[in-house]
Each structure stands twice: as structure tokens, then as C-alpha cells.
Amino acid sequence: MRPWKLAETNYAYVKEHAFEVAVLPLGATEPHNLHLPYGTDTMEGDTIGEALCAAAHERGAKVVLLPTMPYGTETNQMAFPLAPSTLAAVIRDLVESLAQHGIRKVVLLNSHGGNDLKPVLRELYGRTSAHLFLCNWYRVLADVYGEIFERPDDHAGEMETSLILAYFPHLVAQDEHGKLLADDGAIADTRFEAVNRGWVSITRPWHLLTTNSGAGNPHAASADKGRQLVARLVERLAGFLVELSATKLDERFPF
Ligand SMILES: [Zn+2]
């Protein structure tokens, strides 16, 4: 039993060991090109949450990893959608329950690009005694992304495929030579330059944007790249959990 993982630990342990920090990973259930499982984002939340909490626990952090939320906002994909307001309500209830149990430092570990969670932090600020932190882990390594991966991507591309190859290789569809059974993840342009260049944004209807739901070329992925990604995330984020756990909540927190 990993004592820092709520789904595995028990009440006897929890009664004796108070937690300071809760980590709530947020995933999604949706297609990922032709070759990755529907649960990709949820598995990423589990894997990265476990790596971070294990490392932080080892360094003395009183941290607990909550079960990953398997549904996210994917109203533009028409698959298992949670409206942004529904997801916000679920997070609010969970945060309230944590605060009632004395856990007042909560980290939202977001695994799904369709989840726009900053408004949740703004809405709950001042209405709960808990302090919320948001980490979109797929943005944490933006400055060193090119040291690991060949091409920038978005959904079901090189980064996500590498992660699933590293931790759930049996769930990646490949032919007998190890070639991914995926298309190239090319995306369509809209008819407006301002939208294509990012000056104006829309919520992208995924069935018009992509061929098979992939947005990003997955073919340069490898298990080694997936492991490097997680190691670098641990380097950058486990120390934050340790600091957060040790920090006293006072009037000027977090400054
Ligand atoms: Zn994904």
C-alpha cells in the first residue's frame, strides 16, 4: 500500500497521519488518434500524479494523491462532455470536503487541454478556506520541450504517445514491426488567417479540425522520451509539493 495514495491507503493510516497537501489530477475520456486508449489523459494524470507524490512523500511531504477525475470538458468533441460549469461544481465540492478535513492546500494537476480551470480558482478565491494551485503539466516543460521531442504537438502526438509507450505499452496499437497504427495527426486550417495565426481563438470542432482526432504527429514517439518527460516533471514539481507541505498558512500566504 502506498500511504500517499488515497485509493490505496486506509482510515487507520489517515487517522494517524494528517495530510497538508492534496493533489487532484484531472483527466478526460476521448479518442486519441487511432492508436492510443480513450483513457490516455486519465492515465497520464495517474502516472504523473504518482511520480510527483511518491518523490515528495520520500522527501517528507505530507501529500495525498486523490483519484483522477476521468471526465473532462470536451464539448467540442461530442464525447462524454462535462460542461465547464459542471466540472467546476465537482471541483468545488471536493475542495470543500478537503477543507472540512483540514486540508487547505490543493493542487489541481490538469492533464486535459479542454479543461480551462483558472476561472475555478478565481471563483473559489475567498469562498473557501483552501488555497488552490493549478498545474497544467503539459506546459511545465515548454522551455526545454525541444530537448526531448522533435515536433511541437497538441493532442495524441509525440508527447502523449511517448508517455503511453513508457507506462502502458500494451495499450498502444502497433503493427508487428512496432509502427504505430496512427495517421499523421495533421490538422486543417480554418478559412480565417487571424484564427490560424492565433490572434483570434475559437473552440475548435474536433471533427472538422482533425482526420481521426489526433492533432500532432505521433510517429517520432518513444518510451524513453516518455520516461524523460516524467523525470523532468518530477525534478521541477516534487520540490514544490515539499515546500507547499512545509509552509505555514498565514495572512500573507503564499507571499
Ligand atoms: Zn490527451
Side-chain angles (χ1 to χ4, degrees), residues 27-98:
T29 302
E30 62 185 14
H32 277 71
N33 203 323
L34 298 170
H35 64 299
L36 294 181
Y38 273 69
T40 291
D41 290 11
T42 304
M43 294 171 193
E44 290 164 354
D46 287 343
T47 301
I48 293 165
E50 287 176 4
L52 298 182
C53 290
H57 175 84
E58 220 160 85
R59 290 158 60 180
K62 295 174 180 171
V63 62
V64 63
L65 179 67
L66 304 181
T68 303
M69 175 71 187
Y71 299 110
T73 296
E74 45 230 15
T75 38
N76 54 340
Q77 285 210 355
M78 297 186 293
F80 302 100
L82 282 191
S85 53
T86 309
L87 183 60
V90 172
I91 293 171
R92 186 196 62 217
D93 288 357
L94 291 173
V95 167
E96 210 31 63
S97 165
L98 291 165

Side-chain angles (χ1 to χ4, degrees), residues 8-255:
E8 291 184 11
T9 195
N10 52 48
Y11 187 35
Y13 182 89
V14 169
K15 276 170 111 166
E16 297 298 321
H17 299 82
F19 296 118
E20 280 285 323
V21 179
V23 175
L24 172 61
L26 295 132
T29 302
E30 62 185 14
H32 277 71
N33 203 323
L34 298 170
H35 64 299
L36 294 181
Y38 273 69
T40 291
D41 290 11
T42 304
M43 294 171 193
E44 290 164 354
D46 287 343
T47 301
I48 293 165
E50 287 176 4
L52 298 182
C53 290
H57 175 84
E58 220 160 85
R59 290 158 60 180
K62 295 174 180 171
V63 62
V64 63
L65 179 67
L66 304 181
T68 303
M69 175 71 187
Y71 299 110
T73 296
E74 45 230 15
T75 38
N76 54 340
Q77 285 210 355
M78 297 186 293
F80 302 100
L82 282 191
S85 53
T86 309
L87 183 60
V90 172
I91 293 171
R92 186 196 62 217
D93 288 357
L94 291 173
V95 167
E96 210 31 63
S97 165
L98 291 165
Q100 272 172 23
H101 291 89
I103 302 177
R104 292 169 58 203
K105 302 163 191 166
V106 181
V107 178
L108 306 180
L109 180 66
N110 183 34
S111 230
H112 172 57
N115 289 341
D116 193 3
L117 300 172
K118 197 64 176 285
V120 179
L121 272 63
R122 294 198 174 108
E123 184 151 346
L124 294 185
Y125 181 80
R127 298 185 187 190
T128 167
S129 63
H131 296 265
L132 273 74
F133 294 81
L134 170 61
C135 176
N136 294 310
W137 63 257
Y138 46 86
R139 300 234 172 89
V140 170
L141 299 174
D143 58 319
V144 292
Y145 184 87
E147 293 173 19
I148 308 175
F149 300 107
E150 285 178 22
R151 301 184 196 87
D153 67 5
D154 182 348
H155 177 75
E158 188 181 346
M159 181 172 72
E160 288 201 295
T161 303
S162 295
L163 270 173
I164 302 301
L165 278 172
Y167 297 94
F168 307 92
H170 57 292
L171 299 180
V172 181
Q174 295 167 282
D175 70 13
E176 67 272 29
H177 308 294
K179 185 177 167 10
L180 299 172
L181 296 172
D183 70 25
D184 290 341
I187 55 171
D189 279 339
T190 73
R191 62 190 74 177
F192 302 107
E193 188 193 0
V195 172
N196 299 335
R197 304 269 301 258
W199 304 333
V200 171
S201 79
I202 56 171
T203 182
R204 299 169 300 178
W206 223 257
H207 63 292
L208 301 177
L209 177 76
T210 67
T211 47
N212 286 299
S213 86
N217 192 315
H219 291 287
S222 73
D224 182 57
K225 291 177 181 178
R227 282 188 286 268
Q228 277 186 56
L229 176 81
V230 171
R232 294 244 186 150
L233 287 171
V234 169
E235 246 171 58
R236 288 194 168 179
L237 296 172
F240 165 67
L241 294 179
V242 175
E243 284 171 2
L244 190 57
S245 171
T247 301
K248 290 257 174 305
L249 290 174
D250 58 23
E251 301 225 313
R252 289 200 36 87
F253 181 87
F255 290 91

